[in-house]
Amino acid sequence: MIEKFAGFFDPSIVKDKVHIIGCGAIGSTLAIQLTRCGLTDITLWDFDIVQPHNLANQQFRYADIGEAKVASLHQIMLEINPQIKVYYKDRYTDEQLSGYVFMAVDSIDVRKQIVKSNMYNQSVKAVFDFRMRLKDAQHYGANWNIKEDKDNLLKTMDFTQEEADAATPVNACGMTMSIIPTVETVVAVGVGNFINYLHDPATLRKFIMVNPFDY
């Protein structure tokens, strides 16, 4: 598989753990893109099950409905690369992480908790955060060896969950609106930022805004 991009990216340079916290729209898409990039050791964090409405903007299939997201996602990743190692974790509390952390949770409070719990954790290399509305999304990157990066990432979370919910589009039934082009665009940008960082940490982009419907 890696012959397709040999000479551009060698996944064997990823020596540390990769965590995807949250396996909904962003997280499931991250898992698939990182698997196709050749990463073979990924830890998935989620406690939820696949529901019918998830099929519109997540990487699950009809047959996955009712199954745990982490288990279904693991199976899809194995179908892409049978050699991959996938580990499951439940919801994040205050665990000390290591390596590369991709935050894809719905809750801003959980994001804050991840950052605060690992603020002085030298085992973390970099953190990549994703936030999304209907047509636009934001991606943040932070080199965990640089204090300013960590402080600035935390400052971007200076709002409440209630304020975040108020800014999120919902349909007439009160369900959060989301569309797959926005998901896949911001994830592609984030994975690109991750790969650039691996090649040269100085190239890490701290903030990127995307809108696939306005270009």
Side-chain angles (χ1 to χ4, degrees):
M1 180 172 64
I2 63 174
E3 288 82 0
K4 190 76 173 180
F5 46 82
F8 172 70
F9 174 59
D10 179 2
S12 69
I13 68 174
V14 183
K15 305 294 186 184
D16 298 281
K17 292 182 179 295
V18 171
H19 296 271
I20 299 175
I21 305 180
C23 294
I26 296 292
S28 64
T29 305
L30 271 168
I32 299 306
Q33 287 199 19
L34 292 175
T35 299
R36 293 193 187 281
C37 285
L39 273 65
T40 57
D41 189 340
I42 298 175
T43 299
L44 304 174
W45 296 69
D46 206 292
F47 61 90
D48 206 359
I49 63 171
V50 180
Q51 301 181 53
H53 66 264
N54 296 146
L55 306 188
N57 68 338
Q58 302 181 19
Q59 299 300 316
F60 302 105
R61 306 156 299 188
Y62 186 83
D64 297 320
I65 294 173
E67 300 296 327
K69 286 184 176 181
V70 289
S72 294
L73 194 51
H74 182 194
Q75 184 58 42
I76 297 170
M77 295 160 75
L78 282 173
E79 290 171 7
I80 297 169
N81 181 2
Q83 305 303 317
I84 197 168
K85 297 178 181 178
V86 178
Y87 305 92
Y88 305 167
K89 295 283 187 178
D90 204 339
R91 68 180 74 228
Y92 181 85
T93 53
D94 59 356
E95 291 86 350
Q96 291 290 286
L97 303 172
S98 63
Y100 306 101
V101 180
F102 292 82
M103 298 196 297
V105 293
D106 294 330
S107 169
I108 192 64
D109 293 328
V110 175
R111 285 194 184 93
K112 292 176 185 177
Q113 189 173 10
I114 294 169
V115 172
K116 290 178 179 178
S117 295
N118 292 276
M119 182 64 77
Y120 304 105
N121 182 356
Q122 296 182 352
S123 295
V124 174
K125 304 295 184 181
V127 172
F128 301 88
D129 187 19
F130 299 79
R131 306 172 202 175
M132 182 180 64
R133 296 191 298 183
L134 178 61
K135 296 192 298 182
D136 60 274
Q138 302 169 340
H139 167 66
Y140 300 84
N143 184 335
W144 228 238
N145 294 315
I146 300 175
K147 183 179 184 301
E148 184 180 9
D149 278 16
K150 297 186 286 187
D151 291 341
N152 287 341
L153 179 59
L154 188 58
K155 287 177 183 176
T156 69
M157 304 176 188
D158 189 20
F159 55 91
T160 66
Q161 187 61 48
E162 290 73 20
E163 290 171 327
D165 292 341
T168 302
V170 296
N171 61 20
C173 299
M175 182 179 294
T176 299
M177 297 176 69
S178 175
I179 189 166
I180 193 66
T182 306
V183 176
E184 295 191 338
T185 300
V186 73
V187 170
V189 166
V191 171
N193 201 27
F194 170 59
I195 291 174
N196 283 341
Y197 165 86
L198 292 171
H199 287 154
D200 180 3
T203 66
L204 180 71
R205 296 281 297 277
K206 310 303 170 60
F207 172 75
I208 305 172
M209 172 76 81
V210 300
N211 183 335
F213 300 94
D214 182 15
Y215 55 88

